[in-house]
Amino acid sequence: MKNRPAKKFPNPYSEKLNEFSAHCWNQDSKDIPVKNWNSHFEKRTNGKIQKTIFEVGCSNAEFLCRVAKDNPEIGFVGIDWKFKVLYKGAKRISDQKTANISLIRGLVQNSKDFFDSKEVDEVWVFFPDPWAKKSQLKNRIMNEEILTILADLMKPGGKLYFKTDH
């Protein structure tokens, strides 16, 4: 019996993300139209954006929506690698008509593809999966490689907010 390559089944939420193409993109499609986030948010909000905040692991954007509602002068970019939760976040943003949030379905390791160097004012990483077992340590998102990438994205004086319960 020959070894056959595993079949790849597309995630059903991959195509559904296209319903929200004004504020949500999949890194795999390579069509993220934004490189200057302040300009993107100023067009979407018809206002002046004072800073850009990048949340790593935004999940369904529930937290971002609450914070963005009270801070219309801030542009928020959330990233998560899970299709379904990001779809729920994109729907929430659309339903609430929150124009100062955009989402990316992707990996934080590829953040340089979505941002210019020195573009982000703050990075938020709240309660990432701890990957506590020795065999899982390679999966942690808080490591030297990721910190170097995030440092390059941040403006001089930028801040990294990290919170964990592990």
Side-chain angles (χ1 to χ4, degrees):
M1 179 183 251
K2 291 184 179 181
N3 288 338
R4 286 189 245 171
K7 289 184 180 180
K8 269 191 125 174
F9 295 101
N11 188 303
Y13 287 92
S14 175
E15 290 299 316
K16 287 184 169 196
L17 286 180
N18 294 332
E19 296 172 28
F20 307 105
S21 62
H23 64 272
C24 185
W25 305 281
N26 183 357
Q27 79 170 15
D28 296 338
S29 65
K30 305 291 185 204
D31 66 351
I32 297 172
V34 181
K35 264 304 216 183
N36 182 323
W37 288 95
N38 276 3
S39 176
H40 165 75
F41 288 121
E42 286 175 1
K43 288 176 190 168
R44 283 185 44 86
T45 64
N46 294 318
K48 184 77 174 136
I49 295 297
Q50 295 175 3
K51 66 181 177 177
T52 301
I53 295 176
F54 178 39
E55 184 182 16
V56 176
C58 67
S59 188
N60 63 12
E62 181 178 359
F63 177 70
L64 279 181
C65 284
R66 280 186 290 162
V67 174
K69 182 178 161 186
D70 295 332
N71 297 281
E73 74 287 352
I74 298 175
F76 296 90
V77 180
I79 190 169
D80 206 295
W81 68 279
K82 298 176 185 171
F83 283 101
K84 187 175 181 178
V85 296
L86 208 70
Y87 172 80
K88 289 178 180 182
K91 184 166 179 11
R92 174 179 278 115
I93 291 166
S94 183
D95 291 347
Q96 295 179 6
K97 297 177 178 31
T98 311
N100 60 330
I101 305 174
S102 286
L103 302 175
I104 299 169
R105 203 295 305 173
L107 300 172
V108 67
Q109 293 88 330
N110 299 326
S111 296
K112 288 183 178 184
D113 294 342
F114 322 129
F115 293 96
D116 287 328
S117 183
K118 313 297 181 228
E119 183 177 9
V120 177
D121 295 277
E122 295 177 10
V123 175
W124 296 351
V125 183
F126 299 140
F127 303 102
D129 191 334
W131 295 103
K133 295 178 184 175
K134 188 174 181 178
S135 64
Q136 298 172 330
L137 293 178
K138 65 185 178 291
N139 297 323
R140 285 187 175 173
I141 63 168
M142 294 308 285
N143 59 48
E144 187 176 351
E145 175 194 3
I146 301 300
L147 289 172
T148 301
I149 291 168
L150 296 176
D152 181 64
L153 301 182
M154 287 193 285
K155 294 178 181 176
K159 296 180 181 180
L160 169 69
Y161 293 93
F162 175 73
K163 188 165 186 169
T164 182
D165 56 1
H166 179 72

